[in-house]
């Protein structure tokens, strides 16, 4: 009977040790996962900051630059990846539609978009309606939709 007691105590001690080791391993992995998530959050914050800087640089260039075709080329260079995503999501949009959508999303005023794209006022508003129709949204919500697409 004493031998059974010591056997049970031995088994209990080993089981307790294994549980403690398991908890330590799990705790270490959770800590590693938390550090990894923190690193990802920091990287995402840096990426967002860089994107905001690019937006501001392009906006300032659009507002002060007389040669608007350079600004449209910079739009393609800076936001080519976003433009490609929009092109994939909405294949019915033309390149001009996507450029106009990007400018709207960047917060460029309607008057400045008219100057940049060399459109008449009537053509521009018709283009906005066409873009909204192709995206299955209404023209009054096009600004919010464009901003949402740029922040994805």
């Amino acid at each position: 009977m004493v031998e059974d007691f010591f056997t049970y105590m031995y088994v209990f001690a080993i089981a307790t040790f294994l549980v403690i080791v398991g908890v330590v391993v799990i705790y270490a992995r959770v800590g590693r996962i938390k550090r990894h998530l923190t690193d990802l959050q920091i990287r995402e914050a840096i990426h967002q900051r860089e994107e905001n800087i690019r937006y501001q640089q392009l906006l300032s260039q659009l507002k002060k630059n007389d040669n608007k075709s350079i600004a449209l080329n910079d739009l393609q260079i800076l936001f080519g990846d976003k433009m490609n995503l929009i092109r994939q999501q909405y294949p019915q949009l033309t390149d001009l539609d996507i450029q106009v959508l990007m400018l709207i999303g960047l917060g460029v005023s309607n008057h400045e978009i008219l100057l940049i794209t060399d459109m008449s006022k009537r053509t521009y508003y018709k283009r906005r309606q066409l873009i909204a129709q192709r995206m299955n949204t209404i023209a009054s919500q096009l600004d919010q939709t464009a901003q949402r697409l740029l922040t994805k």
Side-chain angles (χ1 to χ4, degrees):
M1 182 155 173
V2 173
E3 292 173 0
D4 289 341
F5 176 73
F6 285 119
T7 304
Y8 289 131
M9 289 302 292
Y10 180 71
V11 170
F12 179 73
I14 291 175
T16 304
F17 176 74
L18 291 175
V19 167
I20 291 171
V21 168
V23 168
V24 169
V25 167
I26 290 171
Y27 183 75
R29 287 189 182 201
V30 167
R32 204 173 311 138
I33 290 171
K34 283 182 180 179
R35 284 191 302 277
H36 182 67
L37 288 175
T38 303
D39 290 346
L40 289 177
Q41 289 169 340
I42 290 170
R43 286 184 193 146
E44 180 62 27
I46 290 170
H47 180 72
Q48 285 292 101
R49 176 77 174 134
E50 289 172 350
E51 222 171 55
N52 287 339
I53 291 170
R54 290 190 303 181
Y55 290 159
Q56 295 305 318
Q57 288 172 343
L58 183 64
L59 283 175
S60 66
Q61 181 183 1
L62 286 171
K63 290 181 180 179
K64 68 181 178 183
N65 193 355
D66 291 333
N67 191 351
K68 303 301 181 180
S69 64
I70 293 173
L72 288 177
N73 289 340
D74 286 348
L75 184 73
Q76 177 65 38
I77 292 168
L78 290 174
F79 302 106
D81 53 341
K82 297 268 186 191
M83 294 172 90
N84 289 334
L85 287 174
I86 293 170
R87 196 171 281 117
Q88 289 173 357
Q89 191 172 0
Y90 300 101
Q92 62 275 23
L93 294 177
T94 65
D95 288 341
L96 182 59
D97 293 342
I98 294 173
Q99 285 178 345
V100 169
L101 191 63
M102 295 292 290
L103 292 170
I104 292 169
L106 287 170
V108 179
S109 71
N110 290 336
H111 178 70
E112 290 169 333
I113 294 174
L114 291 174
L115 293 175
I116 293 167
T117 58
D118 289 330
M119 285 186 201
S120 70
K121 196 173 191 178
R122 183 176 179 190
T123 303
Y124 171 69
Y125 285 105
K126 194 73 170 167
R127 171 76 51 188
R128 279 181 63 101
Q129 288 178 344
L130 188 63
I131 292 169
Q133 184 181 27
R134 290 177 177 169
M135 294 177 67
N136 294 325
T137 186
I138 56 175
S140 62
Q141 293 179 346
L142 193 59
D143 294 358
Q144 294 88 0
T145 303
Q147 289 173 355
R148 183 177 40 80
L149 286 172
L150 279 179
T151 56
K152 278 187 178 177

